[in-house]
Amino acid sequence: MGIETHPQAREELKRIGVDPRAWEILAQKALHLVVKVEKVSLPAANILKQEMLGLGGDAALARGVITGEAKSSDLLLLGNLRQLDKLSEKLSHQPFGLDGLAQDLKGTIEQYKEEKEYLLDCRGRVLDLSRRPHIMGVLNVTPDSFSDGDRYLDPQLALRRAEQLIEEGADIIDIGGESTRPGADPVSLSEELGRVLPVVEGLSSPEGVIISVDTYKSQVAQRAIDAGAHLINDPSGLRFDSQIAQVIARAGAGLVIMHIKGKPKDMQINPQYDDLMGEIYSWLDQGAQLALQAGVARERIVVDPGLGFGKRLQDNLVILRRLDELKGLGYPILIGPSRKSFIGEVLGLPVEDRLEGTAAAVALGVAKGAKILRVHDVKGLGRVARMAYAIAEADGAF
Ligand code: HH2
């Protein structure tokens, strides 16, 4: 029987007539996890091995730790939620940095217990991401975006498109003034402002709709916020402009931290990963730390693995298959698969024929925990997302 979530575990426990008082503990025992811990020192690795064995789980570590040749090792903790919870309690009083690991572990485990409530607060506009998937409609005000470039460069056309996206059910409108497609050159500040601001200023978004601006530049973020934007979607994950986090923090705006390897100009030139998901996880975690240090509140942060941004075909597919691992970060997950070239590569289709491929990515992304889907085709893919969510959350016993 494949039990993947806490509600599923409870469902099965109830079905066979388990005493409700035992549901919580047994549900935790039904969920098995593999937690990777990086660069653990020799004494810490030995303690972790012993403690996990004592709890009835195990820890896998490099051979060099057993022989004493290695100074440190990455390590896999193998156990159920209950064992890992107990481990985090035991570690909180241990030396060698294990008290810090105890904290991280506790946070990770929390994500796998009862489904976490996600409220995204963008300058007072709040989206309840726990109830259904939300759709971010793409609006590129550029001459060269890979899919909708040159279509909405005229602000009037862009505004009409924004209204259409809202009518079709977009929860967020994401306005971009610089293409980040592979090989794209950066545009100047004044060029980007000239493209984005008239649209933000002209857009009277109804109550509940969030205006997002796709930029890594702090000055664009500031002017867009002054003009009414609620969310900044930073495709550099706060890494290209060190001032942007403060701008977002001061305004109480929402923030999407996206993973990118390299810069758009060179990101697709032979990207390599030793540990794809581990690297993305740590990079997003560090991005979130930068945001928190700058004063961005926890409930304003969203993370995104950045499909297509310094990723090979297999990397994009693996990210989607293993997306749920990013839940451990504790922030809602956004994905942007829309019409991207990895879909074209699998199906052998040009950009205008990638709707169904995008639908597959959206459906599986939702099943793996994506809360926001960034798409061009809002109406159809909104339906796909809702249907996928209904299946993923189907609850037979209650
Ligand atoms: N993808 C693109 C742009 N911005 N932002 C987030 N958070 N996630 C994404 O996956 C993402 C993004 C690229 O797509 P698009 O805007 O359609 O093209 P272009 O960069 O050429 O304007």
Side-chain angles (χ1 to χ4, degrees), residues 203-236:
L203 188 60
S204 53
S205 67
E207 195 51 42
V209 175
I210 302 239
I211 302 177
S212 162
V213 170
D214 187 336
T215 189
Y216 55 81
K217 296 190 184 86
S218 59
Q219 285 157 296
V220 174
Q222 183 66 68
R223 297 282 300 276
I225 286 168
D226 294 343
H230 309 102
L231 171 73
I232 299 300
N233 173 22
D234 182 350
S236 83

Side-chain angles (χ1 to χ4, degrees), residues 140 145-146 179-180 214 233 258 304 309 336 340 374 376:
N140 284 316
S145 285
F146 80 95
S179 171
T180 45
D214 187 336
N233 173 22
M258 195 196 78
D304 176 352
F309 287 84
K340 283 192 175 158
R374 182 182 183 277
H376 299 84

Side-chain angles (χ1 to χ4, degrees), residues 132-364:
R132 62 173 175 86
H134 283 64
I135 300 294
M136 173 185 259
V138 179
L139 178 55
N140 284 316
V141 197
T142 63
D144 57 344
S145 285
F146 80 95
S147 163
D148 60 350
D150 213 20
R151 292 186 63 185
Y152 309 113
L153 207 47
D154 172 347
Q156 288 316 313
L157 292 180
L159 285 169
R160 218 172 304 149
R161 176 66 180 156
E163 278 160 22
Q164 190 187 2
L165 293 172
I166 293 170
E167 261 170 46
E168 289 183 2
D171 302 289
I172 305 169
I173 305 294
D174 189 38
I175 303 161
E178 173 176 326
S179 171
T180 45
R181 73 184 191 289
D185 283 314
V187 299
S188 69
L189 175 64
S190 60
E191 183 70 43
E192 193 176 338
L193 285 171
R195 292 175 185 175
V196 167
L197 284 185
V199 185
V200 179
E201 282 161 0
L203 188 60
S204 53
S205 67
E207 195 51 42
V209 175
I210 302 239
I211 302 177
S212 162
V213 170
D214 187 336
T215 189
Y216 55 81
K217 296 190 184 86
S218 59
Q219 285 157 296
V220 174
Q222 183 66 68
R223 297 282 300 276
I225 286 168
D226 294 343
H230 309 102
L231 171 73
I232 299 300
N233 173 22
D234 182 350
S236 83
L238 305 176
R239 302 319 203 276
F240 293 175
D241 182 333
S242 60
Q243 302 302 306
I244 195 165
Q246 276 112 339
V247 168
I248 294 164
R250 269 200 305 273
L255 163 65
V256 179
I257 299 173
M258 195 196 78
H259 175 267
I260 182 170
K261 192 165 176 115
K263 297 220 165 174
K265 186 85 190 146
D266 60 13
M267 65 190 179
Q268 286 309 108
I269 303 173
N270 199 19
Q272 301 278 348
Y273 294 87
D274 288 333
D275 174 7
L276 174 73
M277 293 309 285
E279 235 176 88
I280 294 174
Y281 193 103
S282 308
W283 199 92
L284 292 173
D285 199 24
Q286 284 158 19
Q289 292 305 325
L290 290 174
L292 295 171
Q293 279 156 19
V296 180
R298 193 159 258 288
E299 63 275 14
R300 304 196 204 285
I301 299 175
V302 174
V303 292
D304 176 352
L307 293 167
F309 287 84
K311 320 276 179 347
R312 297 159 297 188
L313 167 62
Q314 285 302 320
D315 298 330
N316 291 303
L317 302 177
V318 169
I319 289 169
L320 283 167
R321 181 169 63 74
R322 295 176 55 182
L323 192 69
D324 51 344
E325 293 175 24
L326 300 182
K327 284 186 194 173
L329 290 163
Y331 299 99
I333 300 169
L334 180 153
I335 53 166
S338 196
R339 304 179 185 169
K340 283 192 175 158
S341 58
F342 73 95
I343 297 169
E345 282 178 66
V346 171
L347 299 178
L349 289 171
V351 70
E352 61 276 14
D353 285 332
R354 295 179 188 162
L355 177 63
E356 297 85 350
T358 306
V362 163
L364 285 165

